[in-house]
RNA sequence: UCCAUGGUAGCUCAAUGGUGGAGCAUCCGGCUGUUAACCGGAGGGUUGGAGGUUCGAGUCCUCUCCAUGGAGCCA
């Protein structure tokens, strides 16, 4: 007999009434009495379990009754509809074959565990309800992102993971080298001789694919990257990881306004797609992780995102009468407390903050006509904070060169980036979305370590 | 990296400076429709680590490691 899946049974159980089926999966829980028992079986295809009923008519009843949690089994039996029970159907087992036994010291118990504990067993936590839901949503969200961009004709660009330019200044980089660290080659003046290294120069793991995305935007018009990025910052917060995934669209013949419209459409698209395709998982998050989740997500999908310039935001904060730890003054970078006040108290929905002072933003952002601010935007969302950072890029070669020099950077490091402006440059814009932060927002999970399968944070790369 | 809080049984947590406990899990037994099943019994501890104060330290002090929350950096 061919195997079926628990997902199929849930979606089409009425068609399966009284039919023989075969299922394979792992025992989530098992309860038995003298002559019969129940198994909650999860086969990985669906958030919910199938209830298996087994009784003493089975030759191996005594063995089954004592199987430890997480034993993998194959069950053959009849689907019985149970409209009055908690679950719509169950399987009356004719045959239970043990595929792989487990052990009584299996660390996942049939009760609630703390996320901190589950992080110490990252190899087993995908078998728990919460992580089963998180990682299925993560997978669906990734697909939704590709679907969103592909439907709009965007070209998917794979930017390099090993990069030779450390010019973006987005953060500390992880060095990539094949040099013998116990015996480093030296030049005559005692410096490490990077010419001896694999690439003949200093290389690192990428902190952003933006510059490469700009290259492709200026030949494909609309492109996006979606891949891992790395920051060697010693950040110990629930919102930062050393390895995380980022989505970076880049659009040509476009301005900041187009960039923000794209960001808003994308966020709404992802939410809608996941709500539609993972209803059981989302229900679980709303019930057990954050019971304001549906309200928040519906609010996002059904509302226009807020817009405020940095200068206006400063005025709002100043007039709020709120005591902030960091005093508000034009020119400061917005602190977490300011961002949260704006998005959670003032707007109560996602809000774009635009046109920041040039001093606190990157060199490639387009200088506004006031000569003081740049065409940058951050999207702030309640509960998570900054989820997107983007800008219109500086397309004027002379202005860009001046900005690079002003900031004391070496213009020769950017020769290919500058040539994009020399040979048919145009106005263009883009943004970066932290994929894990999006998943946090979608699921209500409050720690980035719990939305990435194997989190990398300072001092932690066990799994 | 800074600030705060915490670290006790497999897990979640109690314990006034004076004999380290409970619930769940595990093991054994019982139970004919369970839903984190239920009922009875049993086993289970170098109190994160190192030093110190004290007649006596899980508890107080010093150092250290780790975790969590907040901040900074950012996505």
């Amino acid at each position: 007999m061919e195997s079926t899946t628990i997902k199929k049974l849930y979606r089409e159980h009425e068609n399966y009434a009284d039919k023989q089926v075969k299922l394979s999966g792992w025992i989530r829980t098992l309860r038995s009495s003298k002559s019969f028992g129940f198994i909650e079986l999860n086969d990985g295809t669906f958030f919910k379990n199938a209830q298996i009923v087994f009784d003493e008519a089975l030759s191996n009843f005594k063995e089954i009754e004592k199987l430890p949690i997480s034993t993998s089994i194959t069950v053959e039996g009849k689907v019985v509809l149970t409209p009055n029970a908690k679950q719509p159907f169950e399987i009356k087992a004719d045959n239970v074959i043990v595929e792989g036994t487990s052990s009584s010291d299996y660390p996942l118990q049939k009760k609630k565990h703390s996320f901190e504990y589950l992080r110490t067993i990252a190899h087993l936590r995908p078998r728990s309800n919460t992580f089963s839901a998180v990682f299925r949503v993560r997978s669906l969200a990734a697909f939704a992102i590709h679907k969103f961009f592909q439907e709009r004709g965007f070209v998917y660009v794979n930017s390099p993971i090993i990069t030779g330019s450390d010019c973006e200044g987005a953060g500390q980089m992880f060095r990539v080298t094949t040099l013998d660290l116990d015996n480093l080659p030296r030049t005559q003046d005692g410096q490490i001789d990077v010419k001896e290294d694999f690439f003949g120069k200093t290389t690192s793991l990428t902190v952003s694919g933006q510059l490469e995305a700009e290259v492709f935007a200026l030949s494909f018009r609309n492109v996006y990257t979606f891949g891992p990025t790395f920051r060697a910052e010693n950040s110990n917060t629930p919102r930062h990881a050393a390895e995380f995934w980022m989505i970076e669209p880049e659009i040509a013949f476009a301005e900041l306004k187009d960039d923000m419209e794209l960001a808003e459409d994308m966020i709404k698209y992802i939410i809608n797609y996941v709500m539609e395709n993972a209803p059981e998982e989302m229900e679980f998050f709303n019930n057990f992780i954050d019971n304001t989740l549906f309200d928040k997500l519906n609010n996002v999908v059904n509302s226009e995102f807020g817009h405020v310039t940095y200068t206006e935001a400063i005025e709002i904060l100043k007039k709020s009468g709120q005591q902030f730890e960091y005093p508000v003054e034009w020119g400061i970078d917005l602190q977490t407390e300011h961002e949260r006040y704006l998005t959670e108290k003032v707007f109560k929905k996602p809000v774009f903050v635009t046109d920041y002072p040039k001093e606190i933003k990157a060199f490639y952002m387009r200088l506004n006509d006031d000569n003081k601010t740049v065409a940058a935007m951050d999207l702030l969302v309640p509960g998570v904070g900054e989820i997107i950072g983007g800008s219109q890029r500086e397309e004027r070669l002379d202005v860009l060169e001046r900005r690079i020099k002003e900031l004391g950077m070496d213009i020769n490091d950017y020769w290919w980036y500058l040539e994009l402006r020399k040979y048919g440059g145009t106005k263009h814009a883009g943004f970066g979305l932290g994929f894990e932060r999006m998943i946090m927002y979608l699921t209500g999970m409050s720690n980035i370590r719990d939305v990435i399968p194997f989190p990398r944070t300072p001092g932690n790369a066990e799994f």
Side-chain angles (χ1 to χ4, degrees):
Chain A
M1 197 194 316
E2 191 138 318
S3 276
T4 187
T5 64
I6 291 176
K7 179 169 188 174
K8 253 187 125 160
L9 288 180
Y10 265 92
R11 291 283 187 254
E12 307 163 28
H13 55 269
E14 273 151 17
N15 299 337
Y16 278 97
D18 301 321
K19 295 223 171 97
Q20 286 292 121
V21 292
K22 181 168 147 186
L23 283 176
S24 294
W26 293 267
I27 296 175
R28 280 285 178 84
T29 72
L30 185 152
R31 308 174 278 280
S32 74
S33 52
K34 193 177 177 184
S35 58
F36 68 96
F38 303 94
I39 291 171
E40 295 287 329
L41 189 73
N42 190 285
D43 73 347
T45 63
F46 197 58
F47 180 66
K48 293 182 175 173
N49 306 316
Q51 173 159 285
I52 313 295
V53 187
F54 62 99
D55 65 26
E56 58 189 345
L58 299 180
S59 60
N60 55 351
F61 174 76
K62 285 287 173 205
E63 183 200 351
I64 295 163
E65 188 187 35
K66 294 208 183 299
L67 288 176
I69 294 176
S70 217
T71 298
S72 53
I73 58 173
T74 293
V75 178
E76 292 170 333
K78 191 171 79 174
V79 177
V80 179
L81 299 187
T82 53
N84 297 321
K86 277 196 174 181
Q87 57 285 330
F89 66 91
E90 61 188 21
I91 313 290
K92 174 79 173 61
D94 300 323
N95 194 10
V96 177
I97 302 150
V98 175
E99 301 278 352
T101 52
S102 182
S103 166
S104 63
D105 60 4
Y106 180 66
L108 266 179
Q109 300 170 13
K110 46 185 171 187
K111 67 164 192 177
K112 200 168 183 178
H113 285 293
S114 67
F115 292 139
E116 291 86 345
Y117 171 65
L118 291 170
R119 277 172 220 151
T120 68
I121 49 168
H123 59 310
L124 298 171
R125 69 177 185 170
R127 303 182 192 187
S128 68
N129 285 334
T130 302
F131 289 94
S132 154
V134 165
F135 295 126
R136 201 179 308 278
V137 163
R138 186 181 165 108
S139 168
L140 287 166
F143 184 69
I145 286 161
H146 282 295
K147 197 161 178 291
F148 171 82
F149 286 116
Q150 296 286 338
E151 281 173 359
R152 280 161 183 71
F154 281 56
V155 170
Y156 177 38
V157 182
N158 297 121
S159 54
I161 289 169
I162 299 172
T163 169
S165 60
D166 60 346
C167 48
E168 224 246 319
Q172 290 293 308
M173 303 179 94
F174 286 101
R175 184 80 173 264
V176 173
T177 181
T178 55
L179 292 177
D180 180 358
L181 297 182
D182 297 319
N183 185 21
L184 288 167
R186 302 280 176 178
T187 57
Q188 284 187 337
D189 56 355
Q191 301 290 313
I192 294 168
D193 187 1
V194 294
K195 289 201 166 46
E196 294 288 309
D197 205 347
F198 188 88
F199 295 104
K201 62 181 295 191
T202 302
T203 51
S204 307
L205 295 178
T206 183
V207 294
S208 163
Q210 182 200 313
L211 302 189
E212 291 87 352
E214 283 189 52
V215 169
F216 273 69
L218 291 178
S219 48
F220 289 91
R221 184 163 183 152
N222 291 339
V223 303
Y224 67 106
T225 71
F226 186 5
T229 46
F230 307 86
R231 306 274 168 94
E233 304 283 354
N234 190 10
S235 291
N236 293 287
T237 87
R239 299 180 305 281
H240 292 85
E243 178 180 313
F244 64 100
W245 283 57
M246 201 152 54
I247 298 100
E248 294 179 290
E250 195 71 32
I251 49 179
F253 306 103
E255 300 177 354
L256 191 65
K257 187 169 77 63
D258 307 300
D259 203 30
M260 289 190 282
E261 276 171 18
L262 181 69
E264 182 167 345
D265 288 350
M266 181 192 69
I267 300 264
K268 288 177 175 173
Y269 188 99
I270 298 169
I271 293 173
N272 280 328
Y273 185 86
V274 171
M275 294 284 272
E276 205 168 296
N277 287 277
E280 289 81 8
E281 284 83 354
M282 295 306 287
E283 188 85 19
F284 171 83
F285 290 125
N286 192 55
N287 288 337
F288 295 105
I289 303 294
D290 174 4
N291 51 32
T292 68
L293 185 65
F294 281 177
D295 292 341
K296 280 193 326 203
L297 294 179
N298 287 328
N299 182 32
V300 168
V301 169
N302 297 318
S303 69
E304 301 261 300
F305 290 11
H307 288 266
V308 66
T309 67
Y310 168 88
T311 305
E312 290 163 355
I314 293 290
E315 284 307 308
I316 291 171
L317 292 169
K318 273 183 161 177
K319 286 181 186 153
S320 68
Q322 190 81 8
Q323 279 296 320
F324 293 111
E325 194 184 333
Y326 293 84
V328 178
E329 205 55 55
W330 200 95
I332 63 154
D333 206 353
L334 293 182
Q335 303 297 310
T336 299
E337 56 174 346
H338 306 140
E339 296 182 340
R340 292 193 63 154
Y341 185 83
L342 283 171
T343 185
E344 290 169 14
K345 294 277 161 43
V346 179
F347 286 89
K348 299 187 174 72
K349 63 182 179 181
V351 56
F352 288 105
V353 182
T354 60
D355 302 295
Y356 285 80
K358 63 177 178 183
E359 284 78 15
I360 57 174
K361 287 292 178 184
F363 73 94
Y364 51 73
M365 297 187 178
R366 191 180 194 278
L367 191 62
N368 288 327
D369 293 341
D370 62 11
N371 216 21
K372 281 164 39 185
T373 60
V374 289
M377 61 97 163
D378 283 357
L379 179 63
L380 312 178
V381 296
V384 176
E386 186 181 335
I387 196 169
I388 281 178
S391 68
Q392 187 173 336
R393 319 306 189 189
E394 184 57 73
E395 82 280 10
R396 296 161 295 187
L397 183 59
D398 55 328
V399 180
L400 186 58
E401 284 179 342
R402 199 173 69 228
R403 286 290 290 146
I404 291 175
K405 284 177 193 157
E406 268 175 21
L407 291 166
M409 303 188 304
D410 186 352
I411 208 148
N412 296 314
D413 290 343
Y414 302 92
W415 66 272
W416 55 268
Y417 188 68
L418 291 166
E419 282 196 358
L420 298 177
R421 278 72 181 164
K422 185 176 166 191
Y423 303 120
T426 178
K427 58 185 181 182
H428 60 289
F431 64 82
L433 168 74
F435 185 50
E436 282 75 17
R437 289 191 183 171
M438 184 69 213
I439 304 299
M440 290 168 75
Y441 196 65
L442 276 171
T443 59
M445 297 292 288
S446 55
N447 196 308
I448 197 167
R449 295 169 181 84
D450 299 325
V451 297
I452 188 165
F454 303 101
R456 268 81 182 100
T457 50
N460 198 336
E462 173 69 20
F463 295 94

